Amino acid sequence: MTNREIAQLLRNIAAAYEVLGENRFRIIAYDRAAESIEHLTSELKDYWDDGKLGEIPAVGETIAGHLDELFKTGSSKHFASVMGKVPQAIFPLLMVPGLGPKKAYKLVKALKLTSAKSVIEDLGKAAKAHRIASIEGFGEKSESDILTGLEAFKKGQIKENRMVLPEADAIAHEVLTHIRKSPDAKHTDTLGSLRRWVSTVGDVDIAVATAKPKEVIDHFITFAHQKIIERGPTGASLLLHNGRQVDMRVGKPSAYGAMLQYFTGSKNHNIRLREYALAKGMSLNEYGIKDMRTGKLRTFETEEAFYKALGLAFIPPEIREDKGEIEAALRSAQGKPGGLPNLVELKDIRGDLHIHTSYNLEPSHDLGSSTLAEVLDKAHELGYSYVGISDHNPSKGNHSDNQIIDIMKRRKDKYEQQYSSWNARVKKRVHLVIMLEVDILSDGKLALPDEAYNYVDAVIVSVHSSFSQNKSDMTKRITNALQSHPKVRIFGHPTGRLLQKREGYELEWDTIFDICQHNDIALEINSFPDRLDLPDMLVFEAAKKGIKFCIDTDAHAAGQMNSMKFGVSVARRGWATKRDIVNCMDYNDFATWITKRR
DNA sequence: GCCGTTTTCGGCCCGACTGTTTTCAGTCG
């Protein structure tokens, strides 16, 4: 069973408990355990194999015991018994917006819906036949809401509704530019997962501080849209022509800090923060901090002041995920060691090492569309001191080893020639590193003959085929590849995931981390919009072990080199500092590292 | 059922919104 499936199982137990009227804290405990398991970076089964179920946050003795039985025998008597006490038909309904355990149970009971398989269809028919409005606790409105919810669910099943971060970022940029034209918008910020730079984002949420909310809202809705979803005194929601939703929320400048904090989340960060505050006699809400004794509310213009009032250092939005940041912020504020990390910033990046040009070396995969000179110009514009060209290797199927060696030699000559003429033209120096992105073949060999390595400074290795290998084979394949040549310095887009399209392959990460550490190989954080790979949670794990990263754009056109900020955001979400990033080194240190031979 | 710079017992985040209600239950983020 995957982590997601087990999390789902625990959520269903919580729902069943809710229907059964169980103690509500027990219900919350199961929900929290589910959430925790869903966010693990390793398979739950691996924890079990190592006898470490108890180390998982929110999993205590009891749940660990049930999970142990589940892994040992394939099922848990306790789970089965709880689930058996409620009608199975309620579970699919929990996925429908607007329906929770209690309503689902009432519906299933009143309408005698027994089949979990057809319950969605059956409920839809009942709604159309107006058999819901007469059920106690329901009415005309909830009947039509349920119908809408079912429709939304059916659509949602077909297409995932979230967008990749760069798309959300682009939309936010346009909307913010529009809002800022209003003289009444004093401050503007993004909110929610977008402000925390999560790899995928649902809606674009925006906050505006203003003394004149009506004027700002009137101005906001003049942004091109197909529909105004909602419009009230505190904000408005627009459906854009591209089908995306933008929510804007307004607040007084004097209380803007609390509003930003509250709506930035994450949910888990806010829960933990409120627990922490409560212990100090303070209650938090979106308007400020309430003193529990006097009942008085203090307001804050900025988030910095808000966190400070709690005795904490400012926590960057990217790491507000309840991964120890509150404790670290407390230590920072107290001047103790183990405080918040000094997160890497875009301006710390000194070069980009994964760029494809239009030079045709008859590769196994796609060429880029910009020339070397165009890439160098762009690197210059970005203020980089070095740039690495990592085209795909010449295809193995269409060439003999000697032909590949020949192509590689010609490529090096050509690049050096082009580079020196570019250098003569541009005064500021951008160093060129001639690299290659080499396929890791299905047997773990690299798709480049040994002699061809003479014509590159270093290589990135990545998987571009046979994605469905099992975890153990894939791990062996990659560990072999990483150790097969001393010029292998970077492991490219390590999970192979494509956001919304393809799950990454499974790897034994501890093994991979060990190899990287031992050989001083950097894990790539690939900034390409639908990759953002290595994922932030794995960056967090690897960084703890002192493994190095290389943040690259994988640009196939010079313009795509602008995507660097997304890779940086992934690194930040993984608590990485500039010392963890090889392309934050100045050229001399970097040159020593990239040419290091173990 | 979980968990510990208040604690191994006794607590457990907060508020908005909605629809169905005469004061609240359920759902959501």
Side-chain angles (χ1 to χ4, degrees), chain A residues 155-156 159-164 201-203 243-245 500:
Chain A
K155 275 186 210 153
K159 189 123 179 65
E160 171 60 68
N161 213 13
R162 293 177 79 83
M163 55 194 133
V164 294
V201 173
D203 300 331
R244 300 305 187 185
Q245 187 175 333
Q500 325 265 38

Side-chain angles (χ1 to χ4, degrees), chain A residues 519-593:
Chain A
N519 297 292
D520 195 14
I521 291 172
L523 290 169
E524 182 178 66
I525 297 175
N526 188 301
S527 310
F528 209 77
D530 60 359
R531 289 195 185 272
L532 301 180
D533 180 10
L534 199 63
D536 50 36
M537 287 189 293
L538 285 164
V539 174
F540 184 77
E541 297 297 328
K544 273 197 291 201
K545 300 191 172 212
I547 289 164
K548 294 276 187 284
F549 307 94
C550 181
I551 310 178
D552 293 327
T553 61
D554 204 349
H556 284 62
Q560 293 174 358
M561 291 164 70
N562 288 327
S563 301
M564 185 63 83
K565 63 177 180 176
F566 300 112
V568 171
S569 76
V570 173
R572 288 170 64 83
R573 288 182 52 79
W575 294 48
T577 70
K578 71 178 192 181
R579 304 232 310 265
D580 299 315
I581 314 292
V582 298
N583 51 322
C584 287
M585 290 191 262
D586 65 30
Y587 178 70
N588 286 337
D589 289 345
F590 170 76
T592 307
W593 179 82

Side-chain angles (χ1 to χ4, degrees), chain A residues 8 81 207 249 321 404 525 538:
Chain A
Q8 190 55 49
S81 125
R249 163 182 310 277
E321 299 289 348
I404 292 177
I525 297 175
L538 285 164

Side-chain angles (χ1 to χ4, degrees), chain A residues 251-260 286-288 297 299-302:
Chain A
K252 285 187 196 138
S254 61
Y256 189 60
M259 173 170 134
L260 263 187
E286 62 184 282
Y287 307 108
L297 184 80
T299 59
F300 303 90
E301 266 184 62
T302 66

